[in-house]
Amino acid sequence: MKWLNALGMILQFISFWFAAPELLGVSTLKRFEKGLQKFISIIPMILLMIIIAGFGIGLGLVGFLKGLKGASQGLEEGEFYQYLAVLGGVSVVYVIFVIRFKRIERWLEMKLAKPLTERLIHSNHTRTNALIIGALLFTIGFVCQFLVAIL
């Protein structure tokens, strides 16, 4: 049940960021435009880094468990080669990501951060939709926490 409570808190935290543009208003968003663009352009990179860290931790954990199994029971040759193939594939993806990092960052800024910032500042409809999504996330988070409290 702790996971349900944690999920509720995470959803409520995320809901704030959806509601914030409407709560701040147009004039405040215009003053914070550059900082908002920078913040929005960083979010996808943080998510990509979390995913890559997850792959690294996941592969490390799988390797550790396979090593323990191999030490106690032995491994078949196919299992070992399968692990090496997955490790190699993920390593290639990681190296390509590191090499193309600046290009990916510029692309995310041009295709995501600037248009989203412009829409948040100049479109009432976008801010209203974000507020509705924030309200739904907050409600779902509250329901999760309420279920933990009564169960």
Side-chain angles (χ1 to χ4, degrees), residues 64-75:
F64 180 72
L65 294 175
K66 283 207 182 280
L68 288 177
K69 180 186 174 197
S72 64
Q73 301 171 359
L75 285 178

Side-chain angles (χ1 to χ4, degrees), residues 52 55 87-99:
I52 289 172
F55 277 132
L87 181 64
V90 171
S91 297
V92 166
V93 170
Y94 177 73
V95 167
I96 290 171
F97 175 77
V98 168
I99 291 171

Side-chain angles (χ1 to χ4, degrees), residues 4-141:
L4 191 58
N5 190 28
L7 177 66
M9 286 190 287
I10 290 169
L11 289 175
Q12 288 178 339
F13 177 76
I14 293 170
S15 73
F16 168 77
W17 295 105
F18 277 95
E22 185 66 26
L23 297 174
L24 291 173
V26 176
S27 60
T28 306
L29 288 174
K30 283 182 181 177
R31 284 189 307 215
F32 296 138
E33 184 172 4
K34 288 219 183 265
L36 188 61
Q37 276 182 353
K38 189 167 186 115
F39 177 73
I40 291 173
S41 66
I42 289 172
I43 291 172
M45 282 298 146
I46 291 171
L47 292 175
L48 286 172
M49 293 298 190
I50 289 171
I51 290 169
I52 289 172
F55 277 132
I57 292 169
L59 283 173
L61 184 61
V62 169
F64 180 72
L65 294 175
K66 283 207 182 280
L68 288 177
K69 180 186 174 197
S72 64
Q73 301 171 359
L75 285 178
E76 293 181 21
E77 191 173 338
E79 285 181 300
F80 180 69
Y81 289 132
Q82 180 184 9
Y83 175 72
L84 288 179
V86 171
L87 181 64
V90 171
S91 297
V92 166
V93 170
Y94 177 73
V95 167
I96 290 171
F97 175 77
V98 168
I99 291 171
R100 304 260 184 209
F101 179 78
K102 285 293 182 189
R103 186 177 291 173
I104 293 169
E105 188 176 39
R106 273 186 266 127
W107 182 82
L108 286 171
E109 186 175 333
M110 297 303 291
K111 297 293 183 183
L112 180 74
K114 285 185 180 181
L116 182 58
T117 305
E118 290 295 320
R119 286 178 59 194
L120 283 174
I121 291 173
H122 301 296
S123 172
N124 288 334
H125 182 67
T126 302
R127 287 192 310 276
T128 303
N129 286 343
L131 183 63
I132 291 169
I133 292 169
L136 287 172
L137 289 173
F138 187 83
T139 304
I140 293 169

